[in-house]
Amino acid sequence: MKYPPINSKYPHMLHGGDYNPDQWIKNPEILDEDIRLMKLAHCNVMSVGIFAWDALEPEEGKFQFEWLDNILDKLADNNIYAILATPSGARPLWLAQKYPEVLRVQANRVRNLPGERHNHCFTSPIYREKTRLINKMLADRYKDHPALLAWHISNEYSGECHCPLCQDAFRTWLKQKYGNDLDKLNYAWWTAFWGHTYTDWSQIQSPAPNGDTKIHGLNLDWMRFVTHQTLEFYKNEIAPLKEITPNIPVTTNFMGTFEGLNYWEMAPYIDVISWDNYPQWHGNRPDWELASDVSFVHDINRSLKGGKPFMLMESTPSMTNWQPVSKLKRPGMHLLSSIHAIAHGSDTVQYFQWRKGRGGSEKFHGAVVDHCGHENTRVFNDVTEVGKTLEKLDDIVGTTVKPEVAIIYDWENRWAIDDALGPRREKKDYLLTCQSHYRPFWNRGISVDVIDMDADFSNYKLLIAPMLYMVRPGVTERIEKFVKDGGTFITTYWSGIVDENDLCFLGGFPGPLKKVTGIWSEEIDALYDDDVNFIVPEKNSTLELNDEYEAKELCDLIHTETAHVLARYKSDFYAGRPALTVNEYGKGKAYYIAFRNNNDFLDDFYEILVDKLSIKKSLDTQLPLGVTAQLRTDGENKFIFLLNFAPQKNIVDLKQVEFLDILSGEKVSRKIELPGYGLRILKKVL
């Protein structure tokens, strides 16, 4: 239940930010001032060199490391560590000028001009050679440097390239996947539709707006290939680092639920997961609701390595500058949102950026040090408060949680749902649906893993698979075994529709899930936004639902086979048809929710199941709306984070259980007050 620290030479919470000294080489007085301010803000780590290739290699083969030597030496002399970056996210202009093949080609087959970030071909042998070379030089030069704590590989991998090199690589990848059998590919992609059967591998092209976008198997395999090729590029980047510095961990910063890459495919090759978190606090919906959605993503990042603590690599200490409205964090929110990440399993709080630059598109993006250049700002004080708080959390470093509940959020499933033409073109909302199933547990302070469909289900009591449209091979068998062995499984409308190639299952939906759910779906009704139906619970059913609930947007018209009806539709031509069912299967049960619903249904439904299944809460009490309780443990000690995402104060009843308040050192029990955007970190007294 406890993992080693990110790097054993600094077994503490990490606190710092993206540091760009290469922008300030002509201002040595600012670089000296930075060190003083870092120490004043209780920062202990800086991510360095993320976009510094131009400063490290201003001309091909002519390297200038002296400025970086100076920075790393200064950091080490002041007990500040470095997460040293590889600079592949933005290559120098000379490289693109001399080797134009490294520039990315868009889906319309137009090659980009030099500039921007991530404007490079992952397949290009020249670009791979150049990145490997500079990465090797960084590793050789700094392998024994006392400041080196971890490697930051590139930055926010994203995008795709459609150049001839990538087309050839895609065809090679397809040949390997389909055993060099074009007939298998044609069948898997159902190319007989519209008569688009391939007769030669050379005919295959990536999806294009001026070409083919309607072969769903092609679209799906292209997305898989993009992840594969990005991962291959990443492996090329880390090869010299692993060879020269095998004990230095590597990470690359993910972007939440960014749909362009399947992070589950990348996770095995990353030593510690990290991600960049930029929610729009104080917007047009309650902060606590947004906090629940952010928690969902935190839990994905913890789950990607089976519970291993992750890194909050980027967050803003004040505001962004690229969102529609760049609203400032209100007092208390910076500490709260930072500790929010720690509560869900992060062992770091890091920022973009340390110091605001004078020019460029992010010169107004939030930073620890503003253009004024000194510490006498509200934001700097907020950051300092976070640093002081993290210094009290050494015992929490490496701790984790083993939830009894898991929700399946699967990247390939999302790709397939988004690509499907029906039953709605808009508001298919796979991600939002998964988050709505997550929220009742967050509100009750119940830990949740967010996993993909290929994960191990055996350690959970409750497995939830909203809109499991795609069911890959082996998944059904593991779900059936999970339920047979006593687990409770929940799925919804628009599940069990297609296989891994996006081909519809025959024999009725939900396809291979028919047996475990005990139902079959005849049709699905897509409602207009103003349409509404209701469901009415069955009297004397095994589920104590008493209210009518709204059904909207999608209503599945199902028949029961072995399942029992728990609620029925109230109106329309399918009035009286089943809307909620349960099927006893082996020692467990499978529930099928046939309708899209509001939060009131899910809240009541999961409250009943939590009670029936005796699912443990982080804190055995009823939490006020806006407050969550999250747990981390080393297997013996329990650390509970009480987080109030409401602007008003809230009271939490601890009952008669005694806790130690880690931040104040006081013992607390019974009722405690959380101010608006306030928090408490408690250790249960054994």
Side-chain angles (χ1 to χ4, degrees), residues 320-371:
T320 63
N321 73 321
W322 43 262
Q323 289 171 334
V325 177
S326 298
K327 195 168 186 176
L328 295 174
K329 286 182 176 179
R330 270 35 191 173
M333 179 52 82
H334 180 57
L335 177 63
L336 177 63
S337 58
S338 298
I339 299 303
H340 182 205
I342 303 296
H344 284 272
S346 179
D347 276 357
T348 82
V349 174
Q350 296 160 265
Y351 313 114
F352 181 85
Q353 49 191 331
W354 166 254
R355 177 185 286 272
K356 287 184 180 179
R358 294 190 65 190
S361 65
E362 291 180 310
K363 62 180 177 289
F364 297 125
H365 192 291
V368 181
V369 182
D370 212 323
H371 291 121

Side-chain angles (χ1 to χ4, degrees), residues 2-119:
K2 189 164 186 175
Y3 292 85
I6 294 166
N7 189 315
S8 58
K9 68 182 181 182
Y10 194 76
H12 310 285
M13 291 285 176
L14 301 182
H15 184 226
D18 276 23
Y19 185 36
N20 303 293
D22 44 301
Q23 296 179 18
W24 302 96
I25 291 175
K26 295 182 179 180
N27 303 90
E29 73 284 357
I30 286 180
L31 299 177
D32 289 338
E33 178 68 354
D34 279 333
I35 297 295
R36 183 187 74 85
L37 292 172
M38 289 173 192
K39 294 170 72 175
L40 198 61
H42 293 251
C43 288
N44 52 38
V45 68
M46 289 290 145
S47 299
V48 182
I50 294 172
F51 299 118
W53 196 338
D54 195 41
L56 292 169
E57 191 181 5
E59 298 179 44
E60 185 175 19
K62 295 182 180 180
F63 297 92
Q64 295 180 353
F65 289 102
E66 292 77 15
W67 67 269
L68 185 54
D69 295 343
N70 180 49
I71 292 298
L72 294 182
D73 289 347
K74 284 185 176 182
L75 291 176
D77 290 344
N78 288 274
N79 298 314
I80 301 171
Y81 290 88
I83 299 174
L84 188 55
T86 64
S88 66
R91 25 113 277 275
L93 292 176
W94 61 257
L95 202 161
Q97 183 180 37
K98 185 172 182 180
Y99 306 104
E101 75 162 49
V102 306
L103 291 170
R104 191 168 286 181
V105 172
Q106 297 299 318
N108 62 4
R109 306 315 194 249
V110 175
R111 192 177 294 275
N112 289 349
L113 295 173
E116 296 289 343
R117 297 183 297 171
H118 305 295
N119 181 10

Side-chain angles (χ1 to χ4, degrees), residues 110-155:
V110 175
R111 192 177 294 275
N112 289 349
L113 295 173
E116 296 289 343
R117 297 183 297 171
H118 305 295
N119 181 10
H120 48 261
C121 171
F122 289 124
T123 305
S124 165
I126 291 174
Y127 200 61
R128 291 193 182 195
E129 175 191 340
K130 291 297 184 182
T131 54
R132 186 183 177 97
L133 173 61
I134 195 159
N135 292 1
K136 182 179 185 302
M137 295 189 73
L138 286 167
D140 277 331
R141 192 174 188 94
Y142 300 114
K143 61 181 181 295
D144 298 317
H145 200 285
L148 181 60
L149 200 71
W151 289 106
H152 183 308
I153 309 302
S154 195
N155 182 67

Side-chain angles (χ1 to χ4, degrees), residues 174-395:
L174 291 171
K175 289 176 183 178
Q176 292 174 344
K177 178 177 180 181
Y178 293 101
N180 207 31
D181 189 334
L182 204 52
D183 287 340
K184 286 184 179 179
L185 178 143
N186 279 309
Y187 184 81
W189 289 4
W190 210 250
T191 55
F193 176 72
W194 285 355
H196 286 170
T197 301
Y198 296 103
T199 57
D200 191 272
W201 291 97
S202 63
Q203 297 166 357
I204 298 174
Q205 294 278 338
S206 62
N210 52 345
D212 218 329
T213 60
K214 296 297 189 294
I215 299 177
H216 290 174
L218 164 63
N219 298 342
L220 190 57
D221 272 344
W222 173 252
M223 295 291 285
R224 288 168 173 149
F225 168 75
V226 169
T227 293
H228 167 83
Q229 207 68 350
T230 303
L231 180 57
E232 289 301 301
F233 184 85
Y234 165 85
K235 289 178 183 177
N236 178 76
E237 283 223 56
I238 67 171
L241 309 180
K242 284 296 182 183
E243 179 183 348
I244 298 166
T245 60
N247 297 320
I248 302 297
V250 298
T251 188
T252 187
N253 46 337
F254 290 162
M255 295 181 286
T257 55
F258 171 67
E259 64 179 311
L261 295 172
N262 183 353
Y263 289 152
W264 283 96
E265 291 294 319
M266 300 182 71
Y269 304 93
I270 295 171
D271 294 328
V272 56
I273 302 297
S274 66
W275 83 286
D276 300 345
N277 179 31
Y278 293 106
Q280 290 181 270
W281 299 117
H282 319 302
N284 54 11
R285 61 180 179 136
D287 284 322
W288 69 263
E289 191 175 291
L290 176 57
S292 172
D293 292 347
V294 174
S295 298
F296 178 89
V297 185
H298 283 322
D299 287 346
I300 289 176
N301 285 280
R302 187 192 65 241
S303 302
L304 281 167
K305 299 291 282 188
K308 183 177 181 179
F310 60 93
M311 302 174 71
L312 180 64
M313 181 60 75
E314 289 185 23
S315 61
T316 176
S318 56
M319 66 177 188
T320 63
N321 73 321
W322 43 262
Q323 289 171 334
V325 177
S326 298
K327 195 168 186 176
L328 295 174
K329 286 182 176 179
R330 270 35 191 173
M333 179 52 82
H334 180 57
L335 177 63
L336 177 63
S337 58
S338 298
I339 299 303
H340 182 205
I342 303 296
H344 284 272
S346 179
D347 276 357
T348 82
V349 174
Q350 296 160 265
Y351 313 114
F352 181 85
Q353 49 191 331
W354 166 254
R355 177 185 286 272
K356 287 184 180 179
R358 294 190 65 190
S361 65
E362 291 180 310
K363 62 180 177 289
F364 297 125
H365 192 291
V368 181
V369 182
D370 212 323
H371 291 121
C372 65
H374 57 67
E375 68 270 28
N376 301 312
T377 65
R378 181 179 69 93
V379 169
F380 192 93
N381 289 334
D382 284 351
V383 168
T384 302
E385 183 183 19
V386 171
K388 291 178 179 178
T389 300
L390 293 176
E391 289 172 352
K392 299 178 181 180
L393 305 185
D394 279 359
D395 289 345

Side-chain angles (χ1 to χ4, degrees), residues 472-637:
R472 293 195 289 272
V475 174
T476 300
E477 292 79 3
R478 290 186 296 108
I479 289 174
E480 289 180 351
K481 184 177 188 308
F482 169 78
V483 180
K484 277 183 180 179
D485 291 346
T488 298
F489 174 66
I490 295 166
T491 193
T492 72
Y493 55 89
W494 212 227
S495 292
I497 309 297
V498 301
D499 67 8
E500 74 279 13
N501 296 312
D502 210 0
L503 296 180
C504 291
F505 291 114
L506 301 180
F509 301 139
L513 301 177
K514 283 180 64 181
K515 185 176 179 181
V516 71
T517 59
I519 63 102
W520 75 275
S521 168
E522 182 180 359
E523 299 177 274
I524 187 165
D525 191 16
L527 306 184
Y528 288 97
D529 290 352
D530 294 333
D531 289 345
V532 65
N533 202 330
F534 290 88
I535 70 149
V536 181
E538 291 280 83
K539 294 180 180 179
N540 303 316
S541 77
T542 57
L543 210 64
E544 298 85 15
L545 291 170
N546 298 313
D547 296 331
E548 293 184 3
Y549 299 95
E550 188 175 291
K552 62 180 184 178
E553 297 178 352
L554 293 169
C555 294
D556 207 354
L557 310 189
I558 66 173
H559 302 269
T560 57
E561 294 184 335
T562 58
H564 302 287
V565 179
L566 299 175
R568 299 180 186 273
Y569 289 109
K570 183 178 182 179
S571 60
D572 217 321
F573 72 91
Y574 43 91
R577 294 274 289 271
L580 176 66
T581 63
V582 62
N583 190 46
E584 296 183 2
Y585 190 80
K587 298 177 182 178
K589 295 180 179 179
Y591 292 85
Y592 190 88
I593 302 171
F595 63 104
R596 180 166 285 177
N597 41 71
N598 294 322
N599 292 333
D600 57 346
F601 168 76
L602 292 178
D603 203 55
D604 290 350
F605 176 68
Y606 284 121
E607 182 174 28
I608 292 169
L609 285 188
V610 164
D611 183 60
K612 282 182 175 291
L613 300 176
S614 300
I615 290 174
K616 298 184 185 71
K617 301 178 180 179
S618 300
L619 194 63
D620 188 17
T621 192
Q622 185 171 350
L623 297 169
L625 185 65
V627 175
T628 190
Q630 297 297 323
L631 173 71
R632 290 183 66 168
T633 179
D634 57 11
E636 179 179 352
N637 298 294

